Amino acid sequence: MNYVGKSIEEIIEQFKNEHDVLEGEYEINIIDKGTHGIFGLFARDAVAEITITNKYYERKLKEFLEEIFKRFTADYYVEVSSRGKTFIATCHSEEIGKVIGKHGKGLGALQHIANIFLNRITDTKITVIIDAGNYREKRREQLERIVEVAIERARKNGKVKLDPMFAFERKIVHEIAKSHKDIHTYSEGLEPYRYVVIEVRKGGRRNEDRKHYRNATSRN
């Protein structure tokens, strides 16, 4: 976005105050340094393009999560990093189980509101992923076991429907199943009851299956 002021310094100061941006959290492209002219004549405003960087959103997400963790009595520590439009927050606490909740429901709810919060302060679609106590790694190992058993059942019965899962869990299931050439997966249902279907490929349906998989996994 372009900003106009009497000087570049004035533009930067005004921008930082209006957006609560710190040094290192923005990039500036000077379009016109402007001039005071001669005796006030031929004066020209300065023009600069300023872009907020991921560092700003990382800090805002960290502050947001820390405010939530303050509600818990135990000590906590939050780390936030980003890759492109994906922001990853790792939360540490002695009582992290309270955050994760039963079957990860607390963690899922926290990730949901964090996504809403961060998307409200940016002009582009971004994704927030929250992990706590290495829950996602442990959950992936658990899902690998669940999928392998489900695939064997599908090979006997033709199709298996898994229990409803969070979007990130369904994505993991799709990824795991891709290594089995005779199996294809897709998601059905509406949130929060959306689930994955594991099905054995049948002759003459491979093209349809690939299209179905792409459509399903685009929504996880």
Side-chain angles (χ1 to χ4, degrees):
M1 184 178 294
N2 291 347
Y3 295 85
V4 179
K6 294 181 179 180
S7 67
I8 296 299
E9 290 75 15
E10 179 185 273
I11 290 175
I12 294 175
E13 194 61 32
Q14 182 177 351
F15 176 81
K16 290 166 64 176
N17 291 334
E18 288 181 357
H19 298 277
D20 185 30
V21 178
L22 305 178
E23 290 292 339
E25 295 181 342
Y26 63 90
E27 294 177 349
I28 182 168
N29 176 33
I30 300 175
I31 298 174
D32 191 334
K33 292 184 178 181
T35 178
H36 295 296
I38 303 174
F39 302 113
L41 298 176
F42 309 111
R44 189 173 67 252
D45 286 336
V47 182
E49 180 183 30
I50 304 180
T51 304
I52 295 177
T53 67
N54 278 12
K55 291 295 182 183
Y56 169 80
Y57 299 112
E58 288 176 10
R59 175 171 64 88
K60 285 296 183 180
L61 178 58
K62 188 173 188 293
E63 292 174 350
F64 175 76
L65 293 174
E66 286 177 340
E67 282 299 317
I68 294 177
F69 270 86
K70 285 179 181 179
R71 308 294 179 179
F72 299 89
T73 56
D75 291 336
Y76 60 87
Y77 179 65
V78 178
E79 296 176 287
V80 178
S81 60
S82 62
R83 295 195 301 265
K85 295 181 180 180
T86 300
F87 291 77
I88 303 170
T90 305
C91 308
H92 308 273
S93 173
E94 291 181 358
E95 298 185 24
I96 204 65
K98 292 182 179 180
V99 178
I100 295 174
K102 187 176 181 180
H103 302 309
K105 290 183 178 180
L107 188 64
L110 180 61
Q111 180 170 288
H112 179 67
I113 61 174
N115 267 287
I116 293 175
F117 165 76
L118 211 56
N119 275 284
R120 282 182 175 176
I121 63 174
T122 181
D123 56 359
T124 184
K125 175 66 176 178
I126 59 178
T127 301
V128 176
I129 298 175
I130 297 180
D131 194 10
N134 294 323
Y135 172 79
R136 291 180 183 277
E137 181 180 343
K138 296 173 183 176
R139 180 56 172 160
R140 182 182 183 90
E141 294 174 355
Q142 184 182 39
L143 286 172
E144 287 176 347
R145 294 192 293 270
I146 292 173
V147 171
E148 292 301 326
V149 172
I151 286 175
E152 291 305 314
R153 288 174 53 204
R155 284 170 176 157
K156 294 178 181 179
N157 304 317
K159 179 192 296 186
V160 170
K161 296 180 181 180
L162 300 182
D163 292 333
M165 298 178 181
F166 294 116
F168 84 89
E169 294 175 318
R170 296 195 301 270
K171 183 177 180 181
I172 291 173
V173 171
H174 293 310
E175 291 175 352
I176 296 171
K178 283 172 66 176
S179 63
H180 299 268
K181 303 302 182 183
D182 63 327
I183 296 293
H184 74 109
T185 61
Y186 53 92
S187 297
E188 288 188 341
L190 300 175
E191 300 289 3
Y193 306 107
R194 195 163 173 77
Y195 59 90
V196 175
V197 178
I198 296 178
E199 195 169 52
V200 176
R201 294 183 184 277
K202 296 181 180 179
R205 293 183 55 195
R206 287 181 178 273
N207 290 335
E208 177 186 345
D209 290 346
R210 283 196 289 270
K211 181 178 179 182
H212 195 178
Y213 176 80
R214 287 196 300 270
N215 292 337
T217 54
S218 65
R219 295 182 297 166
N220 290 330

